[in-house]
Amino acid sequence: HNWINLSLSHGMANKIIFFSKILKNYPSRTDIRNILLKSVKFLLSSEQKGDFISLFPNFRTLLEKIFADNMRQ
């Protein structure tokens, strides 16, 4: 499988932090804003809700990402 790392240390969450810092310093960068928005949407689409908690997996397969992207359209 092609895995997508969602974790803070090396994954999608770390990229969101990185692009947020860039956007803070360069707010007119629409390309960075678009990357950031798509990254946040993808991360939020990975949420697994329970009765009293919400969880995010550490990894997601590329096939799951493609499926989630198609479901949002």
Side-chain angles (χ1 to χ4, degrees), residues 19-36:
F19 286 121
S20 296
K21 289 181 178 185
I22 292 175
L23 194 59
K24 181 179 178 182
N25 292 319
Y26 303 98
S28 63
R29 293 286 308 262
T30 56
D31 56 336
I32 300 298
R33 183 181 308 276
N34 289 336
I35 292 170
L36 181 59

Side-chain angles (χ1 to χ4, degrees), residues 13-61:
N14 192 37
K15 289 169 183 56
I16 289 171
I17 293 167
F18 174 76
F19 286 121
S20 296
K21 289 181 178 185
I22 292 175
L23 194 59
K24 181 179 178 182
N25 292 319
Y26 303 98
S28 63
R29 293 286 308 262
T30 56
D31 56 336
I32 300 298
R33 183 181 308 276
N34 289 336
I35 292 170
L36 181 59
L37 289 174
K38 288 179 182 181
S39 298
V40 169
K41 285 180 183 179
F42 175 69
L43 185 62
L44 291 176
S45 75
S46 303
E47 183 180 17
Q48 300 170 352
K49 296 180 181 179
D51 289 338
F52 300 102
I53 59 172
S54 65
L55 304 171
F56 291 89
N58 288 328
F59 291 93
R60 201 163 162 193
T61 66

